[in-house]
Amino acid sequence: MSKIPELTTAEQQTLLAIIIQHPNAYGVSIRDEIRKRTDREYSFGSIYAVLERLEDKGLIASREGEATAARGGRKKQYFAITGPGQLALQASLRALDAMRDGLEIEGASA
Amino acid sequence: MKARSNSQALVRGLKGGVLQGGENALALIVFGLCFKACEYIELSANFTYGVSIAVAIIFQFFQLLLRIWFIERICGGLKFKFEPQSMREPPLFAELLVGLFAKKRYRASLLQCLDEDFRNDVVSGISLRRAKWRYWAAALNSIGPQFWAAIKRIGVIGILADYVRGKLGGA
């Protein structure tokens, strides 16, 4: 059985944004979804660096979409999570949940 | 479609502001006629040249005005309401910079996302100047990780490390 790759926070967030935005997950929608939910402003360079890593690991797949007027007639590139991607995300979130289970973090007002 | 070509003709006519070959030839004929007329009424040589050149320049100026008036007339009600397409494009140099450092695989997508943000800014009513500044900021922000990835890809750090190690006499 192949080892499940570990994910960074940015990779987790990107994978979750791809799932939420499916089947309309592309650079702008992924960036907007992460911004909306976490208030984190990633540059497109960072987003695409993460997407590239994820695609290299086989956790996501991309396909070319239709060209729209808003994009100057250029084609969108859509991303979708793969089976191994879902497994990796599940494992990563489960590990995080296991770590915080029964834990109350103080200092919320700090 | 006709309005667009008319507007483009208007832009060319107004932006160019340069007389075309035929108009220059006409001015030359006017200059020659004026020169002959001055000679005929026996003006001094300097005066003849001065008057002929002045008349030719005034004639050229009126030709230009006539051309602008003619183009405006063809364009009908357009009256500069349009904005040239090139002005609504994102800054070219910023695009080139991003294109230079982005990986080929995602280069087009990255540029398209920046482009979409720019167009959304313009449509939302932000001034073109501000939209272009925002594009520059986003482009430079995007170059950082791409630049770092390019350095890693090319192996510049390894080359530099080897060079330094070589200079220091390391193995």
Side-chain angles (χ1 to χ4, degrees):
Chain A
M1 189 179 161
S2 62
K3 195 182 168 192
I4 295 172
E6 288 182 17
L7 301 175
T8 64
T9 309
E11 287 170 345
Q12 282 178 352
Q13 290 173 351
T14 305
L15 283 174
L16 288 167
I18 288 172
I19 293 170
I20 295 163
Q21 283 292 324
H22 183 77
N24 191 35
Y26 67 104
V28 174
S29 68
I30 293 168
R31 193 271 319 258
D32 289 348
E33 193 61 45
I34 294 173
R35 182 168 56 188
K36 193 174 83 183
R37 288 174 181 260
T38 67
D39 278 338
R40 273 195 168 176
E41 179 84 42
Y42 286 116
S43 69
F44 286 121
S46 308
I47 295 277
Y48 277 100
V50 172
L51 288 170
E52 185 186 350
R53 278 205 306 271
L54 291 173
E55 199 168 9
D56 286 344
K57 289 178 192 172
L59 305 182
I60 58 169
S62 65
R63 67 176 169 85
E64 250 187 19
E66 80 287 2
T68 61
R71 294 170 78 85
R74 292 164 174 165
K75 286 180 180 172
K76 289 179 183 179
Q77 193 166 10
Y78 292 107
F79 297 91
I81 191 164
T82 58
Q86 288 180 4
L87 283 177
L89 184 61
Q90 265 180 359
S92 180
L93 293 176
R94 204 178 294 135
L96 195 65
D97 286 343
M99 284 303 294
R100 60 184 276 199
D101 188 35
L103 189 70
E104 278 194 28
I105 301 166
E106 291 179 13
S109 60
Chain B
M1 209 57 203
K2 190 185 175 190
R4 191 172 174 187
S5 62
N6 284 343
S7 64
Q8 281 169 347
L10 181 62
V11 173
R12 273 202 299 276
L14 294 178
K15 263 174 74 182
V18 179
L19 290 163
Q20 289 165 358
E23 289 163 332
N24 281 324
L26 271 177
L28 203 64
I29 291 167
V30 167
F31 175 83
L33 288 173
C34 191
F35 197 87
K36 280 288 169 197
C38 288
E39 272 186 338
Y40 186 72
I41 56 174
E42 293 182 348
L43 287 174
S44 70
N46 283 346
F47 209 74
T48 300
Y49 277 114
V51 167
S52 304
I53 288 170
V55 168
I57 288 172
I58 291 166
F59 181 74
Q60 284 196 325
F61 177 67
F62 277 105
Q63 280 191 105
L64 190 62
L65 283 184
L66 188 73
R67 177 140 56 94
I68 291 169
W69 172 81
F70 186 65
I71 292 166
E72 263 188 307
R73 199 184 149 92
I74 292 171
C75 289
L78 269 173
K79 301 269 184 196
F80 308 111
K81 272 181 189 166
F82 69 94
E83 192 178 17
Q85 190 61 40
S86 61
M87 283 181 70
R88 278 188 264 129
E89 294 298 324
L92 183 66
F93 189 59
E95 277 192 320
L96 282 173
L97 268 182
V98 175
L100 193 68
F101 290 112
K103 241 184 168 181
K104 194 180 173 186
R105 189 157 111 198
Y106 293 123
R107 187 178 294 149
S109 297
L110 180 59
L111 282 169
Q112 284 156 7
C113 286
L114 288 168
D115 189 64
E116 184 172 329
D117 254 12
F118 174 77
R119 282 171 204 282
N120 287 341
D121 280 351
V122 171
V123 169
S124 69
I126 290 177
S127 72
L128 194 65
R129 192 185 166 92
R130 192 166 154 72
K132 286 194 174 185
W133 271 111
R134 281 170 62 90
Y135 186 94
W136 263 106
L140 292 176
N141 236 342
S142 295
I143 284 173
Q146 299 292 321
F147 181 64
W148 195 239
I151 283 178
K152 281 199 279 189
R153 194 165 65 241
I154 298 164
V156 174
I157 291 173
I159 293 166
L160 281 175
D162 278 350
Y163 177 77
V164 171
R165 202 162 44 201
K167 282 286 172 192
L168 294 175

